[in-house]
Amino acid sequence: MTGSFEKPLVTFAVFACNQEPFVREAVKAALAQTYSPLEIILSDDCSDDNTFAIMQEMAASYKGPHQVKLNRNPVRRSIGGHFNTVVGMALGEFIVVQAADDISLPQRTLVSWEAWEKSERRATSLHTDFIQIDIDGQEIDPIFKNEEKYEPGQLTAQLVDPVCYAKTLKPILFGCTHAFCKSLFNTFGNLPDDIIHEDDVIGFRSVLVNGLFYINEPLVKYRLHDTNMYLRKNQSGLDIKALEQNEQRFRRDIRNRETMYAAFLLDLQTAKSQGLIEEQVFESTHQEVERLRKQYHLMGKYLDSGFFRRFYFFQQLKQSRQGDFYCTFLITRLLPRPILFPLRLLKHRFALVNQKLLFLKGLPIAKRTAS
């Protein structure tokens, strides 16, 4: 960029909810961004702890060049509603997102803005590589593997068929690395307030307008801990209470996916009405997204039903070839929970004993596949 080029105002938004142990590091990273002019929004979704008080304290003591705004939602708005509030506050057209338990590297906003300009502002969603850290901020071996194979620092336009994205949600857009254009909200409107998978919905919008781009450079430290949504749902239960909690998370995930695909349908209709996609693309994508929405709807009905009613929904899923991916989950859940949970706990304990015996014998331990 030339020295005479007047850089636009960019918004850096920190989203928080009950993240008192980590928010100080997150805000420090936001204030340390090297890009200017920068608007920093520190937003709290009605935390029950001291998260917002820490935000207030750090904003009051900041003496640097960036503009700092504070927001605290008076009631909990969930992820979709929280995003809508912050996007409505943002003055920048380009918005860099950070959760209050993650840490952005100082150059993150600058590198993202340069990539946006390099794309001639066609990039409506930019995502990057990231470093994975533990609860104490120490770098760990990756749990989530980077599937992108590009040269270091390379900026790549990811042109994706909307049908393929709906089926696979790939390329995976990790929300911890996301930056996006406010124009997506001007075009498609606000997110549904109850959306949890906001990164997938905003990513889908960018797929529809051919605006998904990837920077092969780690610009965020992504913290993995026991309150992290994606890590938590993959933890195995060790007792009946933990199994019950995992089951409730599984049910919520099914409902959240149904809500996500319903949002996809709304955005498809908007893209069609505004002439952003061709009729043939709309029809094929709509058919696939509706199939997936119905799949998760039936799975939710199945999980919420009693023992005999589950057979009815299982047959519906089977006859319509819906839910193939979750077939094992659904079959095992035909059993009532008072029977299912002790059996799963017994299986888990047997696997631990088997691993110990193999270890004592000096044999390789096979990786256990979770059901």
Side-chain angles (χ1 to χ4, degrees):
M1 302 297 165
T2 63
S4 61
F5 182 82
E6 184 176 350
K7 295 189 293 186
L9 178 70
V10 169
T11 296
F12 189 103
V14 178
F15 291 81
C17 184
N18 291 334
Q19 289 158 317
E20 180 180 347
F22 314 115
V23 67
R24 192 173 295 276
E25 277 189 289
V27 173
K28 184 179 179 181
L31 298 176
Q33 292 298 298
T34 59
Y35 180 88
S36 184
L38 186 66
E39 170 192 61
I40 297 175
I41 299 177
L42 307 178
S43 187
D44 175 67
D45 195 20
C46 197
S47 290
D48 302 314
D49 58 14
N50 291 320
T51 295
F52 187 63
I54 294 171
M55 286 179 153
Q56 286 178 306
E57 170 204 324
M58 297 187 72
S61 62
Y62 177 66
K63 306 299 182 184
H66 306 319
Q67 307 171 30
V68 180
K69 292 181 179 178
L70 283 164
N71 173 67
R72 185 177 191 270
N73 296 333
V75 295
R76 187 74 49 83
R77 295 208 60 195
S78 190
I79 293 177
H82 198 182
F83 262 71
N84 294 336
T85 297
V86 170
V87 170
M89 292 176 59
L91 296 179
E93 166 57 23
F94 189 64
I95 302 173
V96 181
V97 173
Q98 180 187 282
D101 53 355
D102 297 330
I103 303 169
S104 292
L105 301 186
Q107 71 274 24
R108 181 186 173 198
T109 305
L110 177 60
V111 172
S112 298
W113 167 74
E114 288 177 342
W116 185 48
E117 294 292 354
K118 188 176 180 179
S119 76
E120 299 179 343
R121 301 192 179 186
R122 291 183 298 112
T124 53
S125 280
L126 271 168
H127 62 121
T128 75
D129 196 4
F130 55 95
I131 300 163
Q132 295 170 53
I133 59 175
D134 62 17
I135 193 170
D136 298 315
Q138 300 301 309
E139 187 172 347
I140 59 175
D141 291 334
I143 294 176
F144 299 104
K145 305 297 184 182
N146 183 3
E147 298 180 356
E148 311 300 342
K149 304 298 181 184
Y150 303 115
E151 292 296 320
Q154 180 179 342
L155 173 67
T156 303
Q158 297 180 309
L159 301 178
V160 187
D161 175 28
V163 174
C164 291
Y165 185 84
K167 281 182 178 179
T168 66
L169 298 178
K170 291 182 179 181
I172 298 173
L173 193 163
F174 283 92
C176 63
T177 75
H178 199 189
F180 60 88
C181 287
K182 191 174 181 177
S183 61
L184 286 175
F185 282 69
N186 297 334
T187 300
F188 292 96
N190 282 344
L191 301 173
D193 277 2
D194 54 350
I195 279 291
I196 298 298
H197 302 287
E198 92 295 336
D199 43 4
D200 292 321
V201 176
I202 298 174
F204 183 67
R205 292 177 171 187
S206 287
V207 167
L208 292 175
V209 298
N210 292 324
L212 184 60
F213 281 69
Y214 176 75
I215 309 170
N216 193 28
E217 180 178 346
L219 296 174
V220 177
K221 292 182 178 180
Y222 178 40
R223 195 187 304 268
L224 298 169
H225 53 91
D226 58 0
T227 59
N228 177 278
M229 179 172 64
Y230 294 103
L231 184 65
R232 182 177 58 199
K233 74 181 182 181
N234 290 317
Q235 292 176 332
S236 297
L238 299 177
D239 54 33
I240 296 295
K241 182 178 179 180
L243 287 171
E244 178 67 42
Q245 291 172 342
N246 285 344
E247 186 71 11
Q248 291 302 321
R249 283 193 283 268
F250 177 72
R251 288 166 179 251
R252 286 197 299 270
D253 189 56
I254 295 299
R255 290 302 187 194
N256 290 338
R257 289 297 178 189
E258 180 188 355
T259 303
M260 180 193 75
Y261 282 114
F264 280 18
L265 290 173
L266 292 175
D267 290 339
L268 272 170
Q269 291 288 352
T270 299
K272 178 186 177 183
S273 66
Q274 298 195 19
L276 299 175
I277 55 175
E278 297 177 357
E279 181 69 26
Q280 184 177 356
V281 174
F282 170 81
E283 292 295 339
S284 59
T285 308
H286 190 278
Q287 181 179 359
E288 179 60 21
V289 172
E290 174 57 23
R291 183 189 73 82
L292 290 163
R293 188 206 61 78
K294 181 181 178 183
Q295 166 183 301
Y296 285 102
H297 175 74
L298 289 174
M299 289 169 67
K301 288 286 190 182
Y302 172 92
L303 292 171
D304 290 340
S305 299
F307 177 65
F308 293 105
R309 188 68 171 164
R310 286 188 177 186
F311 283 96
Y312 168 75
F313 286 113
F314 186 80
Q315 282 300 115
Q316 277 200 318
L317 284 161
K318 186 176 178 181
Q319 289 172 5
S320 59
R321 299 189 61 79
Q322 305 279 352
D324 292 343
F325 179 75
Y326 283 111
C327 186
T328 301
F329 291 92
L330 298 178
I331 290 175
T332 58
R333 283 164 175 79
L334 280 170
L335 292 172
R337 278 186 282 180
I339 298 174
L340 174 63
F341 287 170
L343 286 176
R344 288 174 61 186
L345 188 60
L346 184 64
K347 177 184 176 183
H348 177 78
R349 289 175 176 172
F350 176 78
L352 291 178
V353 170
N354 188 47
Q355 286 187 357
K356 187 173 182 180
L357 290 173
L358 290 173
F359 176 77
L360 292 174
K361 291 179 180 179
L363 298 175
I365 300 175
K367 290 184 179 179
R368 180 170 59 89
T369 301
S371 63

